Amino acid sequence: MDFSVGSTKISFLRGDITDQDTEAIVNAANSSLMGGGGVDGAIHRAGGPEIIEECKRIISEIGRLETGKAVITSGGNLKARYVIHAVGPVWRGGRSKEDELLRSAYASSLDVAGRNGVKSLSFPSISTGAYGFPIDAASAIAVKSVFKTAEKSAFSEIRFVLFSDPDLDAYVAAAAAFKKTIVK
Ligand code: ADP
């Protein structure tokens, strides 16, 4: 399913983010940048050791990557030239600034992409796996952040790569609902 926002194609598909041929893929990382399970583990397995070496270098400079922030490394053996590592919030019931921090994870990723000349990138569903963010709320936040940035930037394509059909359905529904609010 595709949407057009300004000059940006925003697409939604079910798939594996490590297979994507966009210039960058986004990793749902944690503050240590040392890899882990879920999409993070899959990206490091497919991308090889170069990515973790760069992550270690970054962590030796900054200590830890704060929740809501993002950094960029090369893509190692991936098709994507870059990996943008973003830290989403752990869901703690909804009163610990989770919405704001998730918005910030998407905004920081797009900001880092823009500053590095990246024109196309793929996002996974940040925070909705091990971090437990409810998918309906997370998809609405993700879609709104990306559509709003796309309106005023020069990305050619922003892809959401969902790992299951129910997740894909939630994101497509969020996109359709958000499109309706901007057409009105
Ligand atoms: P978080 O810790 O931010 O919740 P997870 O990796 O646990 O991150 O999960 C985020 C989402 O990524 C989940 O929907 C999970 O199903 C999905 N996911 C896991 N592996 C992949 C993959 N290879 N490609 C795309 N999405 C993936």
Side-chain angles (χ1 to χ4, degrees):
M1 173 77 78
D2 295 345
F3 293 79
S4 279
V5 178
S7 60
T8 310
K9 177 170 117 178
I10 302 180
S11 48
F12 296 83
L13 56 104
R14 191 168 75 81
D16 185 329
I17 202 158
T18 64
D19 292 335
Q20 303 307 309
D21 60 2
T22 45
E23 281 173 74
I25 62 171
V26 176
N27 181 17
N30 57 55
S31 290
S32 76
L33 292 187
M34 286 302 130
V39 72
D40 198 357
I43 288 172
H44 283 290
R45 271 193 303 281
E50 193 181 323
I51 302 176
I52 204 83
E53 288 310 318
E54 285 182 53
C55 286
K56 282 184 190 158
R57 216 172 306 137
I58 291 168
I59 288 300
S60 72
E61 283 163 19
I62 65 172
R64 65 194 286 280
L65 184 62
E66 276 174 46
T67 304
K69 297 273 163 62
V71 294
I72 193 166
T73 66
S74 77
N77 302 327
L78 295 165
K79 285 180 203 158
R81 182 163 175 211
Y82 301 107
V83 177
I84 295 170
H85 305 263
V87 183
V90 175
W91 179 258
R92 294 196 162 89
R95 293 197 185 143
S96 303
K97 300 204 165 97
E98 290 94 331
D99 288 10
E100 189 182 318
L101 290 166
L102 187 61
R103 231 179 341 264
S104 170
Y106 282 96
S108 301
S109 300
L110 292 163
D111 180 53
V112 165
R115 283 192 283 110
N116 285 275
V118 169
K119 294 277 185 248
S120 63
L121 72 164
S122 300
F123 279 103
S125 180
I126 298 172
S127 283
T128 65
Y131 280 6
F133 208 119
I135 188 82
D136 288 341
S139 57
I141 290 166
V143 160
K144 193 170 167 186
S145 306
V146 165
F147 276 53
K148 284 194 150 210
T149 301
E151 278 170 7
K152 51 182 172 40
S153 60
F155 292 106
S156 57
E157 182 179 2
I158 303 174
R159 211 178 271 177
F160 281 98
V161 182
L162 291 319
F163 213 43
S164 71
D165 284 328
D167 284 0
L168 175 60
D169 292 347
Y171 274 75
V172 170
F178 184 67
K179 255 298 212 196
K180 238 182 251 168
T181 68
I182 55 179
V183 170
K184 267 182 201 159

